[in-house]
Amino acid sequence: MKINVLGGINLLIGGMLISSCTNLDETLYSSLNKDNFYNNKLEVNQAALRPFTHMQAWLAPTGQNGYYYHSELSADQLAWPQKGRHGYDGGDHFRMHYHTWTDNENRMRIGWELLWGGLAYVNAAISDIEELDLARVGMTEDERATMVAQLKVLRGYHYMKIMDMWGNVPLVTKVGDPLNPETRPRSEVFAFAEQEIKANVDLLPATSAENIGQVSRAAGYAMLAELYLNAEKWSGNERWDDCIAACDKIISGQAGGIGGTPKLAQDINTLFANDNSANPESLFQFQYSRKAGFTFDWGGFFMGYDNIKEVLKVGYGGWNAFVVIPSAFDAYAENDLRKKDWFLFGPQYKYGTNQQVLGTEEWNGKPFAYVNSIRRESEGDVTSEGSMAEGEENSGARFHKYKSGTLDNPNYQENDYIIYRLTEIYFNKAEAIMRKNGGTADAEAVELINTCRKRAFSNADWASAQYTAATLTLDELLAERGREFIFEGKRRTDLIRFGKFTTAAWWDHEPSNDANKELFAIPQTQIAINPNLKQNPGY
């Protein structure tokens, strides 16, 4: 995207507002300006929606290199290993996995531009809408106030994610003013994000079936719950009581819900199914629809090569990119229903048959099965630990959490992408309770986690699978968060909060014990553009 990502985007283009921001070469033409754009309520709504549609480029696993990529590939559950002649990509994914990235990473530069570009869209929309002649566009003052509140909450959310990745960053609320903003302390950025969300959350419409996908009240409180859960790391001060209070606003139904009051999905699959748009567990989501020409296309990162089309009876293949790290797959008990339902693993058969599909690379022409290892088994290595350089086309269990349905399914690829869900709020509250209690679970914390976990086990297995106050330790809570939220773009933040990101080992990753790696490097290209930026320590 050809923009000055800190100075801001000079204008908003109405014609781009309903497309996902997936073209990094899109040009923003200065001949289009707000004076000839804001002509009616529809165009105002388009301007307000632009930051939200742009978010999909960096937050959802749809094929770009933003927050999602860096959050998952730097953590202990997903990796993008080289698979024979495919996937080395200049060592990008190796450096992310081994925590050896530098301040000159192209994917990080793209991520920076995507997040700051989105913030510029927010700032531009707020400034323009606050100055509107309401009579000219046919809007009421109440409509404008709600719209601005939604945008300010979204601005707080952008800053929360930006400071999660880079820590000390500029605070910019006006497009291009100042042109070269100075770096501000992370605690100050935290306070600004909190103020934006907290001051506006109750001005948002209560979450309901009528505003699915919008920045509504339950979404705002979910943002606050995440902000306060990470406050000790992000601001230097723990905020466990505030986290619990934000969670209670959602759990009690005071913030609304798609079904009135949010409710946990009855099983582990319905929330991710191709008819999940109105699921009562969802609090905030991207509304996708293939029928409307706006598909949640997770295939690029997550699907294997085209032989997967035969397995799932779908029209998409992928890059054979992300795989599940062996130690992450091993973290599930064999009787955990999530291990069976959320992954593609073992022999892969043509849909509806017992005919095994064939490989196309290392296993070309041979029966194909996904294995829980990343090593050169086609060459006889069936015992080594393997490494990022030794993958094959079938290495690692694969993503199957979201299911598109088959080509002949009337809801084929109608899945929404869930940003926040009620299960996360239960986990957040339980963790805050435990941390207030010195790391020990009480009856309420145990009940919160067990209520969610119970869906992953049969009635016969539940007696031995449920937690007690003695077995639900903080380490076990982190492990269960991993099992429950795998593929949801949250793992790096969790590991940092639990003190494991730079100190723990997983598969072939050895700990760096370098606390500086809890923040990413500000891209050197941005420092060259803005001399007032200060690089993070250790880079």
Side-chain angles (χ1 to χ4, degrees), residues 222-238:
M223 295 173 193
L224 283 176
E226 179 182 358
L227 188 74
Y228 292 137
L229 187 68
N230 293 284
E232 186 172 27
K233 180 63 66 174
W234 290 347
S235 74
N237 298 300
E238 60 187 42

Side-chain angles (χ1 to χ4, degrees), residues 181-327:
E182 295 182 352
T183 298
R184 308 303 304 167
R186 196 185 205 181
S187 59
E188 187 176 327
V189 181
F190 178 97
F192 178 80
E194 178 189 12
Q195 173 63 19
E196 288 290 271
I197 301 172
K198 187 176 179 181
N200 291 282
V201 64
D202 288 327
L203 302 177
L204 302 177
T207 302
S208 71
E210 284 69 48
N211 56 32
I212 294 171
Q214 295 182 28
V215 184
S216 54
R217 200 173 304 158
Y221 277 108
M223 295 173 193
L224 283 176
E226 179 182 358
L227 188 74
Y228 292 137
L229 187 68
N230 293 284
E232 186 172 27
K233 180 63 66 174
W234 290 347
S235 74
N237 298 300
E238 60 187 42
R239 301 284 293 274
W240 310 125
D241 285 329
D242 289 325
C243 177
I244 292 169
C247 292
D248 283 342
K249 286 282 190 178
I250 296 168
I251 295 170
S252 67
Q254 293 179 64
I258 291 176
T261 296
K263 299 178 179 64
L264 292 178
Q266 292 184 345
D267 60 57
I268 61 171
N269 292 313
T270 54
L271 184 58
F272 309 104
N274 60 9
D275 58 356
N276 68 340
S277 189
N279 193 289
E281 181 172 331
S282 180
L283 305 173
F284 191 34
Q285 64 206 68
F286 290 135
Q287 276 198 298
Y288 286 96
S289 171
R290 180 190 58 83
K291 297 173 185 175
F294 199 45
T295 306
F296 173 26
D297 184 9
W298 59 77
F301 275 158
F302 279 122
M303 289 294 100
Y305 299 132
D306 278 356
N307 58 2
I308 205 68
K309 295 178 180 179
E310 297 180 288
V311 174
L312 301 177
K313 195 180 175 183
V314 296
Y316 53 86
W319 307 332
N320 203 14
F322 288 4
V323 312
V324 179
I325 290 173
S327 52

Side-chain angles (χ1 to χ4, degrees), residues 19 32 39 41 63 85 91 138-139 181 200 240 262 391 400 419 433 443 469 507:
S19 66
L32 299 177
N39 297 305
K41 189 186 294 188
R85 61 197 177 108
M139 287 182 65
N200 291 282
W240 310 125
H400 200 41
I419 301 170
I433 290 170
W507 178 44

Side-chain angles (χ1 to χ4, degrees), residues 492-505:
R492 169 183 164 272
T493 308
D494 286 346
L495 290 176
I496 291 173
R497 189 174 65 257
F498 279 81
K500 303 290 188 181
F501 187 66
T502 61
T503 63

